[in-house]
């Protein structure tokens, strides 16, 4: 492929990126941008790839920015040349944008049901995986990206001698660590982020705005929406301390979460499913948890065979 035989979605994304970074986007252009973003999934994919380059435009000289803004009357080739000149990177910013459309096989780390695992990445960043979780490591000369494929992780970022930003990617969007310690929980429906130190910037997949949350806060987001930040980061990250926290929670919901750590089967009878439970419990003692709640709730806990637990009414 020739360097400037470019994809129209990539071209458009790069055009909008330059406009937004220049601060010259008026109200009419903002509306056009929103319409373009909503019109095609490929536009959204290209836009999020282009956002990877946003940090590289912070110190662009104004005369270069202005030369790129008059694009309506220029050819695609001339625009690509201008953009290539704008992004001066060791590997070429344009190629970083283009190459991100591929899906290479990245090294992966995983845990099985009932296992937690802590690893240190090549840059010194610490990653703790919760039970039944999987991540991929996408590190290059220009970026650090942790892809959460499923489950939960706690990340404590290390200072990078190459000054690369640290990103986490889930099915619902991306988030940038701002010198921080935080947890990410990715499910089919949503992603939850809880910040324990400093801050995190969250970019949902189909949402053109971002939100920044600080230490002590947690928030849930989907591809197209961001919830209100809540001051419950310690509760949301309890698993990273080996705990499970219930706050007036239904028994069946509590047990469903607890079963993720149990290498066996747990069944809650409908007669007791709506009972409410509160407390902080240690995940390394599943049997102890059931012994405790059996004393505080009107339930009976049976263990008919190894690994099987049945919760019913007394």
């Amino acid at each position: 492929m020739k360097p400037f035989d470019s994809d129209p979605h990539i071209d458009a994304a790069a055009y909008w990126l330059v406009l937004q970074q220049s601060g010259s986007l008026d109200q009419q252009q903002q509306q056009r941008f929103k319409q373009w973003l909503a019109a095609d999934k490929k536009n959204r994919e290209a836009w999020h790839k282009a956002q990877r380059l946003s940090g590289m435009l912070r110190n662009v000289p104004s005369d270069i920015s202005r030369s790129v803004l008059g694009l309506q009357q220029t050819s695609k080739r001339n625009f690509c040349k201008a953009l290539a000149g704008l992004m001066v990177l060791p590997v070429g910013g344009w190629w970083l944008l283009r190459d991100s459309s591929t899906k290479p096989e990245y090294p992966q780390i995983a845990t099985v049901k009932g296992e937690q695992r802590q690893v240190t990445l090549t840059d010194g960043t610490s990653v703790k995986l919760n039970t039944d979780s999987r991540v991929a490591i996408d590190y290059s000369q220009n970026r650090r990206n942790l892809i959460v494929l499923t489950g939960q992780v706690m990340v404590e970022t290390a200072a990078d001698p190459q000054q690369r930003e640290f990103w986490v990617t889930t099915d619902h969007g991306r988030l940038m660590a701002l010198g921080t310690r935080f947890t990410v929980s990715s499910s089919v429906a949503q992603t939850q982020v809880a910040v324990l130190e400093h801050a995190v910037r969250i970019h949902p997949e189909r949402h053109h705005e971002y939100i920044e949350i600080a230490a002590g806060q947690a928030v849930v987001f989907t591809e197209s929406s961001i919830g209100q930040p809540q001051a419950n980061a310690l509760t949301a990250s309890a698993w990273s301390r080996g705990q499970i926290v219930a706050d007036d929670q239904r028994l069946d919901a509590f047990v469903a979460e607890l079963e993720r750590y149990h290498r066996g089967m747990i069944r809650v009878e409908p007669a007791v499913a709506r009972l409410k439970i509160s407390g902080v419990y240690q995940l390394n003692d599943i049997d102890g948890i059931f012994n405790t709640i059996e004393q505080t709730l009107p339930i009976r806990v049976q263990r008919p065979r190894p690994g099987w637990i049945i919760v019913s009414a007394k």
Side-chain angles (χ1 to χ4, degrees):
M1 178 183 292
K2 296 179 181 180
F4 301 117
D5 290 343
S6 52
D7 184 303
H9 303 284
I10 293 291
D11 284 350
Y15 169 75
W16 287 117
L17 177 66
V18 173
L19 280 179
Q20 291 206 1
Q21 290 290 334
S22 71
S24 301
L25 209 63
D26 60 29
Q27 188 172 358
Q28 184 178 5
Q29 289 172 320
Q30 288 176 356
Q31 185 61 33
R32 286 175 51 204
F33 169 71
K34 291 178 181 178
Q35 292 172 348
W36 172 81
L37 202 62
D40 194 325
K41 181 179 180 181
K42 290 183 178 180
N43 289 344
R44 294 188 291 272
E45 291 174 349
W47 173 243
H48 289 293
K49 293 167 187 174
Q51 283 184 307
R52 295 183 182 181
L53 298 176
S54 61
M56 303 168 191
L57 296 174
R58 292 173 185 161
N59 299 314
V60 173
S62 58
D63 57 335
I64 298 180
S65 296
R66 285 194 297 270
S67 72
V68 180
L69 294 179
L71 299 175
Q72 288 82 355
Q73 304 301 322
T74 61
S75 69
K76 179 190 297 183
R77 182 178 180 86
N78 287 339
F79 167 67
C80 291
K81 285 182 176 179
L83 181 62
L86 184 65
M87 298 174 182
V88 182
L89 300 171
V91 296
W94 179 249
W95 284 108
L96 175 61
L97 182 62
R98 175 176 304 286
D99 291 345
S100 64
S101 64
T102 63
K103 294 183 178 180
E105 290 295 326
Y106 299 118
Q108 295 188 10
I109 305 169
T111 55
V112 299
K113 190 175 182 180
E115 177 191 13
Q116 291 186 340
R117 182 181 178 189
Q118 185 159 343
V119 297
T120 301
L121 304 183
T122 55
D123 64 331
T125 292
S126 175
V127 178
K128 184 174 184 177
L129 282 74
N130 198 13
T131 175
D132 196 19
S133 299
R134 181 180 297 272
V135 300
I137 313 301
D138 173 19
Y139 272 30
S140 70
Q141 184 179 0
N142 303 289
R143 69 174 180 268
R144 298 182 293 169
N145 182 33
L146 181 71
I147 306 168
V148 181
L149 302 172
T150 185
Q152 298 162 304
V153 298
M154 182 178 75
V155 179
E156 186 169 359
T157 58
D160 183 36
Q162 301 179 53
Q163 297 184 331
R164 296 169 297 177
E165 294 176 341
F166 190 98
W167 290 84
V168 175
T169 301
T170 75
D171 286 343
H172 308 104
R174 304 172 65 240
L175 52 105
M176 185 174 71
L178 303 175
T180 187
R181 183 164 62 97
F182 60 99
T183 64
V184 178
S185 177
S186 180
S187 65
V188 173
Q190 63 188 29
T191 295
Q192 182 185 57
V193 180
V195 180
L196 303 174
E197 293 180 6
H198 301 291
V200 166
R201 186 177 299 160
I202 300 168
H203 300 256
E205 179 71 23
R206 299 178 183 175
H207 200 289
H208 66 279
E209 296 180 350
Y210 66 82
I211 185 174
E212 192 171 299
I213 62 172
Q217 293 183 315
V219 72
V220 170
F221 70 95
T222 67
E223 289 183 335
S224 57
S225 65
I226 308 175
Q228 288 295 319
Q230 305 293 323
N232 62 347
L234 288 178
T235 297
S237 62
W239 67 266
S240 67
R241 302 185 299 277
Q243 299 174 331
I244 182 171
V245 178
D247 182 11
D248 199 32
Q249 188 175 18
R250 279 182 49 144
L251 181 60
D252 55 351
F254 174 78
V255 170
E257 177 63 19
L258 190 61
E259 191 172 16
R260 297 182 58 231
Y261 302 88
H262 179 64
R263 298 183 183 181
M265 189 269 308
I266 308 176
R267 177 183 174 185
V268 178
E269 297 287 353
V272 298
R274 294 177 177 271
L275 293 175
K276 296 297 183 68
I277 181 173
S278 296
V280 180
Y281 304 91
Q282 301 301 315
L283 287 169
N284 62 359
D285 187 9
I286 302 294
D287 284 334
I289 293 175
F290 281 104
N291 290 338
T292 299
I293 64 176
E294 190 174 22
Q295 296 173 15
T296 57
L297 294 176
I299 62 171
R300 180 174 60 175
V301 178
Q302 298 173 288
R303 298 172 176 83
R305 64 184 67 178
W308 283 43
I309 300 174
I310 298 176
V311 184
S312 59
K314 281 187 176 178

